[in-house]
Amino acid sequence: MSINRVIINSSPLIVLLKSQQAQLIPQLFTEILVPSGVFEEVTTKDDVAATQLPSMSWIQIVEVNTIAPVVAAWDLGKGESQVLSLALKNSDYAAIVDDRAARRCGQALGVTTIGTGGLLILAKRRGLIPSI
């Protein structure tokens, strides 16, 4: 299965921005949604990720006002909850989450999930990076 549209959480964004690998995201996916809570989480810190994220032209910030009750029951963080709630509503999007509980939640709810490691493996397979 090919993943073209994704909803990304803060930790994968931070890892990729800090390691200067963020350009892989738009090279791998055609649509990249960032829930408002995730954007806030990344940009409120005082680091390279916080300063770089607002200038990324490829992100679409999406307001998420309600958390799906089935997601809320997992008691995840704000970002993870927004990512998975949005992915539940938009089944053609995969969720990029690293948190183990969030991945379990996504899998239990039938949401396609991928982590930062999986994203890097995908980039290697497509020849975007020489090694991981």
Side-chain angles (χ1 to χ4, degrees), residues 1-131:
M1 184 189 101
S2 178
I3 302 169
N4 294 312
R5 298 167 158 179
V6 294
I7 304 161
I8 191 165
N9 192 30
S10 52
S11 56
L13 272 173
I14 291 166
V15 167
L16 292 165
L17 285 162
K18 285 185 174 179
S19 64
Q20 298 177 342
Q21 297 293 316
Q23 79 285 354
L24 293 172
I25 304 168
Q27 290 176 322
L28 291 168
F29 312 109
T30 54
E31 280 186 59
I32 301 107
L33 303 184
V34 177
S36 51
V38 168
F39 186 82
E40 288 162 21
E41 204 174 310
V42 175
T43 56
T44 53
K45 295 183 175 84
D46 186 23
D47 60 17
V48 68
T51 54
Q52 286 181 1
L53 186 63
S55 64
M56 298 294 155
S57 60
W58 42 262
I59 65 169
Q60 285 179 261
I61 301 166
V62 180
E63 197 65 47
V64 179
N65 298 314
T66 33
I67 301 303
V70 288
V71 173
W74 285 76
D75 197 27
L76 303 168
K78 180 180 182 178
E80 289 91 353
S81 296
Q82 287 191 0
V83 167
L84 292 167
S85 292
L86 202 53
L88 258 184
K89 275 198 235 171
N90 302 280
S91 60
D92 53 340
Y93 284 80
I96 303 179
V97 288
D98 285 339
D99 180 82
R100 183 177 287 150
R103 294 188 55 176
R104 275 200 211 110
C105 171
Q107 288 157 352
L109 300 174
V111 171
T112 302
T113 60
I114 183 174
T116 304
L119 187 145
L120 292 171
I121 291 167
L122 194 58
K124 166 94 175 78
R125 281 192 192 137
R126 293 197 189 165
L128 299 175
I129 53 174
S131 62

